[in-house]
Amino acid sequence: MNKKLEKKIRLKKKIRTKINGTSERPRLSVFRSNQFIYAQIIDDSTGTTLAAASDISTKKGTKSERSVIVGTEIAKGALAKGITTVVFDRNGFKYTGRVKSLADSARTAGLKF
């Protein structure tokens, strides 16, 4: 395993020890690949996914525009289930670009974190 990958794995484990989602305040986890972006709302106490959204089915627009759509979809799904506040987990990714636009659009759609 190369050193860059080992460092990323250690960073992610360090973040996950500090961030936990509960049933009152679940965790909004964001994963960003080269092509797509995924968001899940997870209750860590029961280990269940409460809501999920991704841009796999959406091919129109830039990656940033699609991340805004995913942020609004995840917020709508959370609000439909009665979730208003979440803990944001950026999964070791920097809080810029697509991750930031997803978080901002989720906040604009009504989620608090």
Side-chain angles (χ1 to χ4, degrees):
M1 197 181 300
N2 64 15
K3 290 184 180 185
K4 193 172 186 180
L5 183 61
E6 287 177 7
K7 184 177 179 183
K8 180 131 179 124
I9 290 171
R10 280 196 310 267
L11 177 64
K12 187 173 178 179
K13 285 183 181 179
K14 184 178 179 183
I15 291 170
R16 284 290 293 126
T17 59
K18 296 178 183 177
I19 297 175
N20 281 323
T22 61
S23 56
E24 297 85 28
R25 194 169 177 198
R27 175 172 54 105
L28 171 60
S29 177
V30 176
F31 177 76
R32 178 181 62 88
S33 70
N34 285 338
Q35 294 180 348
F36 305 111
I37 192 159
Y38 310 87
Q40 288 184 329
I41 295 184
I42 304 166
D43 180 6
D44 288 324
S45 59
T46 60
T48 57
T49 300
L50 305 172
S54 70
D55 67 338
I56 291 179
S57 60
T58 308
K59 299 292 183 189
K60 295 180 182 177
T62 63
K63 293 178 186 177
S64 295
E65 291 169 349
R66 292 190 311 224
S67 66
V68 169
I69 293 169
V70 172
T72 355
E73 286 178 4
I74 196 72
K76 286 179 184 176
L79 293 173
K81 296 201 176 197
I83 301 166
T84 55
T85 59
V86 294
V87 178
F88 188 69
D89 178 12
R90 58 185 174 83
N91 249 339
F93 296 106
K94 292 182 180 178
Y95 188 76
T96 60
R98 293 187 285 158
V99 176
K100 185 177 187 298
S101 62
L102 186 143
D104 290 342
S105 64
R107 277 192 195 105
T108 307
L111 277 182
K112 296 176 187 167
F113 51 93

